[in-house]
Amino acid sequence: MYKVVPSQIKNKIKREEIHAKQKQLKSRKKIEERLRRQKEEAEDPEKKKERLAKNIPRTLENVREFDETIVDAEDLEVLEDEASDEFSKYFQEGVSPKMLITTNKRPSKVGYDFASELIDVFPNSNFVRRKNQVSIKQIIEFCNNRNYTDILVVNEEKKVPYAITLIHLPEGPTAYFKLTSIKLNNEIEGHGRSSCHKPELILNNFNTRLGHTIGRWFQALFPHVPEFKGRQVATFHNQRDFIFFRRHRYVFKNKDRTELQEIGPRFTLKLKWLQKGTFDKNGEYEWMFKSELETSRRKFFL
């Protein structure tokens, strides 16, 4: 039977009429098929079970390519590595995080504003204005002498923050993240106000060995025991190697109703390289992103 293709009809009114009829017919067939299936499944429940077993939705995780670096948090080898890695003091000895936040040389007001909001994100953090003649090495030495555990540098270009350099003290590692999709507190519609309470931390989908390291590092940036009284939540969600950061607070409308209100800031990170030790341009890199690594859209590194 010849099928009319609306796009081949020159008359606009006729074309729209034929398209509407075809759309209506297609919708009617779908309804009839659904009713027929419901009737059959009501008579034979096994058919419904069989359909649901086959009807598995495609998600990022179930189409992901097998990766031998994906780890189980309870794996013995992983636990042994954690006992002696750079962040073990935080988990075993209860070391409290203390972060210094600064910028690149000659930052703009935009860079200062973003750094100011990061101070609000990370408890026990301080902002220090960077003088033009001060190098990263000098900042590291300054922080080591004052018991800082981490340094965060906001990198800016043309008045736009574009990257973050994160340095763990005293012996590294150092990570460099591309920074995108920044929204400050006042740019988020209906934003809430933060309090001085220590936030609860949520990490999602840091499943590979590399992702596990980055996830432990994020954990080590926040105090051990969150203050649930204030009910603030900081979330790092990893999806296709993009790390989305969001911060919310619980708003108690009444005894039976609680809502989440975003506080801000909001931003996205993408790991570009991870280096052993503290920052050194000629140092040894544990991992570095290269375009040729991205051979498939179903392969992820974190």
Side-chain angles (χ1 to χ4, degrees), residues 112-258:
Y112 282 134
D113 289 344
F114 181 58
S116 176
E117 295 213 5
L118 290 179
I119 297 170
D120 199 33
V121 169
F122 299 103
N124 303 331
S125 63
N126 301 303
F127 176 76
V128 175
R129 285 176 177 264
R130 182 176 174 183
K131 296 181 180 179
N132 293 342
Q133 67 272 21
V134 176
S135 67
I136 293 290
K137 290 292 185 183
Q138 290 173 313
I139 294 173
I140 293 171
E141 183 180 359
F142 172 88
C143 291
N144 277 329
N145 292 334
R146 289 162 178 79
N147 298 319
Y148 281 94
T149 61
D150 296 273
I151 300 170
L152 189 153
V153 181
V154 177
N155 302 293
E156 179 188 338
E157 187 176 48
K158 296 180 180 178
K159 298 185 179 181
V160 177
Y162 72 93
I164 280 177
T165 304
L166 189 60
I167 306 168
H168 187 65
L169 301 175
E171 299 176 350
T174 301
Y176 182 82
F177 297 91
K178 182 181 178 183
L179 177 66
T180 56
S181 305
I182 300 172
K183 275 202 171 184
L184 301 183
N185 179 285
N186 59 9
E187 297 174 318
I188 298 172
E189 186 177 354
H191 68 85
R193 292 184 178 180
S194 66
S195 65
C196 59
H197 296 90
K198 297 172 183 175
E200 177 185 358
L201 179 64
I202 297 176
L203 299 173
N204 292 328
N205 295 337
F206 293 87
N207 300 323
T208 65
R209 291 300 293 263
L210 178 61
H212 195 64
T213 298
I214 298 301
R216 274 174 66 81
W217 195 348
F218 287 154
Q219 281 182 280
L221 299 178
F222 290 83
H224 300 261
V225 183
E227 296 177 358
F228 293 106
K229 182 179 179 181
R231 298 305 288 167
Q232 291 190 81
V233 182
T235 303
F236 289 94
H237 176 74
N238 175 40
Q239 185 171 336
R240 292 192 177 184
D241 295 334
F242 287 93
I243 303 170
F244 301 92
F245 176 81
R246 301 289 186 272
R247 191 165 61 124
H248 297 81
R249 72 183 182 111
Y250 289 98
V251 179
F252 299 95
K253 296 294 185 180
N254 53 55
K255 65 178 182 179
D256 300 319
R257 185 184 169 196
T258 305

Side-chain angles (χ1 to χ4, degrees), residues 87-98 147 149 220 222-224:
F87 313 108
S88 57
K89 287 185 178 180
Y90 169 85
F91 295 96
Q92 296 174 6
E93 302 176 17
V95 174
S96 180
K98 182 182 177 183
N147 298 319
T149 61
F222 290 83
H224 300 261

Side-chain angles (χ1 to χ4, degrees), residues 1 3 21-37:
M1 181 179 178
K3 184 179 179 181
K21 286 183 178 179
Q22 289 183 351
K23 189 175 180 180
Q24 186 180 26
L25 182 62
K26 185 178 180 180
S27 177
R28 188 183 304 159
K29 284 184 177 180
K30 286 179 68 175
I31 294 172
E32 290 174 353
E33 175 63 22
R34 185 166 65 249
L35 293 174
R36 181 192 62 78
R37 187 173 62 245

Side-chain angles (χ1 to χ4, degrees), residues 254-298:
N254 53 55
K255 65 178 182 179
D256 300 319
R257 185 184 169 196
T258 305
E259 293 181 357
L260 272 178
Q261 183 181 37
E262 189 170 359
I263 300 174
R266 178 195 302 175
F267 54 86
T268 301
L269 301 173
K270 185 176 178 66
L271 181 66
K272 289 299 183 179
W273 49 257
L274 180 68
Q275 184 185 61
K276 291 184 178 181
T278 54
F279 182 80
D280 185 351
K281 292 182 178 179
N282 300 315
E284 181 182 354
Y285 290 85
E286 293 188 41
W287 184 86
M288 180 178 287
F289 176 79
K290 297 178 182 178
S291 56
E292 55 264 30
L293 290 175
E294 218 167 34
T295 56
S296 170
R297 294 179 66 87
R298 297 179 182 179

